Amino acid sequence: SPRSTEAATKYFLTQAAASAMILFSSLINAWQVGTWDIVNMTSPPAYILLTMALAMKLGLAPMHFWLPEVLQGVTLFTALVISTWQKLAPLTLICLTVNNLSTPILIILGLLSAIVGGWGGLNQTQTRKIIAYSSIAHLGWMISISSIMINMMILNLLIYLILTTGLFCFLILAQSKTIQDTMMTWTLSPILTSTMMILLLSLGGLPPL
């Protein structure tokens, strides 16, 4: 459909631009330091460019504009893959290079993402857009803690992946694309709806979850 084609084009252009920025940062580092090893990146322009590229790949604010539009235009299963599996490679790069990345930039990006993700999901009725903004907020908290305690970021990522996968599986089973569809699933399966409520509360981090 035209909507899915538009989403695929946006995703491709964004990821291609971010990958080009990663290669460009490696080129700058190799030019100034003499090595292609990005794990020991010492050039400030190179690691700032790498941070921006990884933020664009993940969908962190202010480079987040593509993520809600792409998730809204694809199928629920594709949205599940983009929200979970596609986050692993950029976060792995962040884990490898976190000692060389700028901590203030990571914290600013993380806090900005948490604010944008929290506010952006308030006036949405499409479940995929709500999950997209939730993803932006959760990734913001992960990036904020990454330079301080990497083990906490990995734990947060694992919990996020499990909860988001369960939530998308519910949406796929119930074929619900809007909040109104979700409210009608109680007649379809009360147990499934109760499970979704627990997943949402857990994703929000409410006690005792």
Side-chain angles (χ1 to χ4, degrees):
S1 65
R3 183 181 285 268
S4 61
T5 305
E6 180 186 356
T9 306
K10 286 179 179 177
Y11 183 77
F12 170 73
L13 291 175
T14 305
Q15 297 298 319
S19 298
M21 286 172 64
I22 291 174
L23 291 173
F24 190 48
S25 68
S26 302
L27 182 65
I28 293 173
N29 187 63
W31 183 27
Q32 295 191 356
V33 181
T35 176
W36 285 95
D37 189 7
I38 64 169
V39 177
N40 297 316
M41 191 174 283
T42 55
S43 171
Y47 65 68
I48 289 173
L49 195 61
L50 180 64
T51 307
M52 293 298 109
L54 292 173
M56 187 186 295
K57 273 190 169 296
L58 287 169
L60 293 174
M63 284 82 72
H64 69 284
F65 296 102
W66 64 272
L67 185 57
E69 299 299 325
V70 168
L71 284 194
Q72 183 59 33
V74 298
T75 62
L76 284 169
F77 181 75
T78 309
L80 166 63
V81 174
I82 293 174
S83 299
T84 55
W85 182 256
Q86 293 300 109
K87 306 296 183 192
L88 294 180
L91 285 171
T92 302
L93 274 175
I94 287 176
C95 288
L96 290 173
T97 59
V98 71
N99 293 327
N100 302 313
L101 299 179
S102 173
T103 302
I105 292 176
L106 288 177
I107 292 176
I108 289 170
L109 286 174
L111 294 178
L112 191 60
S113 299
I115 293 169
V116 169
W119 278 346
L122 290 178
N123 61 343
Q124 302 295 332
T125 57
Q126 300 289 329
T127 51
R128 279 170 291 184
K129 278 196 175 183
I130 293 173
I131 294 175
Y133 282 108
S134 170
S135 174
I136 293 168
H138 280 276
L139 286 168
W141 292 119
M142 289 182 219
I143 294 301
S144 299
I145 199 67
S146 62
S147 59
I148 303 166
M149 194 179 296
I150 197 72
N151 294 334
M152 193 63 69
M153 189 202 85
I154 295 171
L155 175 63
N156 193 349
L157 174 64
L158 289 175
I159 295 171
Y160 167 76
L161 291 177
I162 292 168
L163 294 176
T164 305
T165 303
L167 186 58
F168 266 111
C169 288
F170 167 82
L171 294 175
I172 291 169
L173 284 173
Q175 289 295 314
S176 55
K177 298 178 180 178
T178 63
I179 298 296
Q180 288 80 7
D181 296 340
T182 308
M183 289 188 292
M184 297 300 293
T185 54
W186 178 261
T187 55
L188 177 69
S189 174
I191 297 175
L192 207 60
T193 310
S194 303
T195 307
M196 182 202 172
M197 184 187 69
I198 294 171
L199 277 172
L200 287 172
L201 293 176
S202 186
L203 202 59
L206 291 177
L209 303 169

